[in-house]
Amino acid sequence: MDALAIEEAYDRLEDLGVEVMVCPFARFTAMASPEGFLGLNPMQLRSGAQEHAMLLHEEGHFATGTFYQLDSPFALRQHQENIADRYVFETHFPPERVRAAMAAGYTEPWQLAEYFDLPQSYVEQMLRWYTEARGIDFSARGA
């Protein structure tokens, strides 16, 4: 776990005016409110990497103003989630940063996950988005 990365994520939320509170949600790991509150259930976080990704994702919601009601249609919810994730990818893990990590030898998704202190599934989602939506080739010949 990269404690510094997590601390920086909390600091960025604070800079955005977000108050993070511990909340014992039954179903959710986190819940963001457009009023500047983030409820976090640390009992549902399985790793520092998961906490880091969750904080980054929630930062994406606050930075882009993409919020929704829990009873919103799936299409709207997914659209807002995608915007928050795109913010994270482009702001914190731009292609140049990913390529630099790959040039340093972190070429597999699990290696990038360890390098960036993120869950492997989040790194795979990021790489898939860059490849499919932005047409970026991270292979050696496309780098």
Side-chain angles (χ1 to χ4, degrees):
M1 169 175 71
D2 185 347
L4 182 59
I6 291 173
E7 183 178 319
E8 289 172 349
Y10 279 105
D11 288 346
R12 281 192 307 276
L13 284 166
E14 184 178 330
D15 291 346
L16 288 170
V18 177
E19 182 178 344
V20 180
M21 301 170 287
V22 173
C23 297
F25 297 121
R27 291 183 11 200
F28 306 105
T29 303
M31 188 177 302
S33 164
E35 288 81 23
F37 299 103
L38 174 59
L40 171 65
N41 183 354
M43 299 304 293
Q44 291 195 14
L45 295 169
R46 295 180 302 277
S47 68
Q50 184 189 17
E51 180 178 6
H52 186 214
M54 186 271 312
L55 291 169
L56 290 170
H57 176 79
E58 297 304 331
E59 175 190 338
H61 281 296
F62 286 103
T64 62
T66 52
F67 299 96
Y68 55 86
Q69 299 294 324
L70 290 177
D71 61 351
S72 296
F74 175 78
L76 174 64
R77 289 192 323 250
Q78 192 58 52
H79 179 71
Q80 304 296 55
E81 296 293 346
N82 292 345
I83 291 171
D85 284 329
R86 277 197 316 261
Y87 169 87
V88 173
F89 302 157
E90 293 175 343
T91 303
H92 298 292
F93 308 100
E96 304 78 32
R97 186 170 181 210
V98 175
R99 284 193 174 110
M102 290 177 156
Y106 302 93
T107 57
E108 298 297 323
W110 67 268
Q111 293 170 316
L112 289 166
E114 287 183 6
Y115 182 80
F116 291 128
D117 190 34
L118 297 169
Q120 182 176 335
S121 60
Y122 200 65
V123 169
E124 290 169 346
Q125 177 186 348
M126 175 177 61
L127 294 173
R128 190 170 41 256
W129 181 77
Y130 274 129
T131 301
E132 294 173 5
R134 298 268 312 274
I136 296 173
D137 183 0
F138 288 107
S139 66
R141 67 183 186 288

